[in-house]
Amino acid sequence: MKGPPVASIVFSHPDCLTHVTPPGHPECAERLEAVAQGLARLPVTRRDCPLAEDAEILRCHPAAYLAKVRRAVPSEGWVALDGDTILSPGSLTAALRAVGGIAAAVDAVMAGEAVNGFVAGRPPGHHAETATAMGFCLFGTVAIAAKRLLDHHGLSRVAIVDFDVHHGNGTQDLLWDEPRVLFASTHQMPLYPGTGSAQERGAHGQILNHALRAGTGSAAMRAAYDQHILPALDAFRPEFILISAGFDAHEADPLAALNWQVEDYAWLTRRLCDIADAHALGRIVSTLEGGYDLPALQASVAVHVGVLEERGR
Ligand SMILES: [Zn+2]
């Protein structure tokens, strides 16, 4: 007999620190140390991310792309896949830990070992398209997890909520023709990567993009969720919610200007827990995407996972 589920499981791995970017690059290993400090006092269960099997990557990416990334990894120094997506000797292993972590997190939640989970991994994933690394991302971590829930665990409806300040063009690309996944994103526009207009709906009308203007703050964000995203989630009745948790909409972030506050991440996480409680037995797995001001990242991830833990009890 297994015991009652724990509230939250947090997956991470020291290998995710060995993805090293050049000095001054915003997606740096210190981000993960800030996240670890933010989570240090939370009474969560902690586990190491296993390495993803190749088959996990192949849920969303062609074998030729995985082989290309594998071949490109340098034995020393750096290789640039595009202007800002950099490989160091540890990058592939780090990315495989991030994907393996989210796979293990969804497995733990589906097995009833925990109500919800958070994956503190890097590099992030939501900009990686089918055969294109971009925007600091190699593999579409959250899209791969959605496919695992559908094709391995047999679920019928999975929602992905992406509150990173940048549009999750990769997640959208990987799931464009996937009617079983509602992909809902808020993001600043105009901003990198340039996609994410409301007209981009997916092959089955299952993609919901809600752009926010630079300089708007908490009220605009809460209205977007209250009036658009949360009603769509409620109508979709997801059996599981995945979150692309980027914290770069915080007002201190150097890459964007949406001016969200730490308390906004608590508010939003509570609302997503409400949807998960109503339709998905509370099941949520969240994974780290962006967030480049280290104190803001530390404080924001602490309230995000703090709410998950509190609501998972
Ligand atoms: Zn971002």
Side-chain angles (χ1 to χ4, degrees), residues 71-152:
R71 272 198 312 272
V73 173
S75 55
E76 59 182 59
W78 289 292
V79 163
L81 295 179
D82 75 2
D84 51 27
T85 310
I86 311 290
L87 293 179
S88 71
S91 297
L92 178 65
T93 301
L96 294 176
R97 292 286 182 196
V99 174
I102 200 166
V106 303
D107 289 357
V109 171
M110 288 302 297
E113 294 169 33
V115 175
N116 58 51
F118 180 75
V119 184
R122 57 182 284 282
H126 73 151
H127 293 308
E129 297 189 343
T130 304
T132 309
M134 61 183 278
F136 317 156
C137 302
L138 300 181
F139 305 124
T141 312
V142 80
I144 290 169
K147 289 286 196 183
R148 183 173 182 85
L149 283 163
L150 297 166
D151 297 337
H152 176 72

Side-chain angles (χ1 to χ4, degrees), residues 7-78:
S8 299
I9 297 189
V10 171
F11 282 84
S12 194
H13 199 283
D15 283 352
C16 292
L17 300 168
T18 69
H19 167 54
V20 178
T21 50
H25 195 289
E27 206 292 283
C28 57
E30 289 77 12
R31 297 180 61 239
L32 215 50
E33 293 165 1
V35 167
Q37 284 167 21
L39 304 182
R41 289 192 193 149
L42 294 176
V44 295
T45 300
R46 291 159 211 277
R47 289 194 194 158
D48 282 345
C49 301
L51 279 173
E53 308 270 346
D54 285 5
E56 211 53 31
I57 307 299
L58 302 183
R59 290 185 191 281
C60 284
H61 300 281
Y65 172 69
L66 174 57
K68 182 181 146 192
V69 173
R70 191 166 265 144
R71 272 198 312 272
V73 173
S75 55
E76 59 182 59
W78 289 292

Side-chain angles (χ1 to χ4, degrees), residues 266-281:
W267 177 87
L268 177 52
T269 309
R270 284 190 204 104
R271 296 289 79 76
L272 296 176
C273 286
D274 291 342
I275 302 284
D277 286 348
H279 302 292
L281 308 172

Side-chain angles (χ1 to χ4, degrees), residues 121-186:
R122 57 182 284 282
H126 73 151
H127 293 308
E129 297 189 343
T130 304
T132 309
M134 61 183 278
F136 317 156
C137 302
L138 300 181
F139 305 124
T141 312
V142 80
I144 290 169
K147 289 286 196 183
R148 183 173 182 85
L149 283 163
L150 297 166
D151 297 337
H152 176 72
H153 289 289
L155 296 189
S156 305
R157 293 182 310 282
V158 175
I160 300 175
V161 178
D162 185 331
F163 60 70
D164 188 281
V165 79
H166 303 96
H167 180 239
N169 62 293
T171 307
Q172 173 169 294
D173 179 56
L174 297 170
L175 300 173
W176 184 262
D177 196 18
E178 176 49 84
R180 300 170 293 175
V181 179
L182 172 67
F183 174 55
S185 174
T186 52

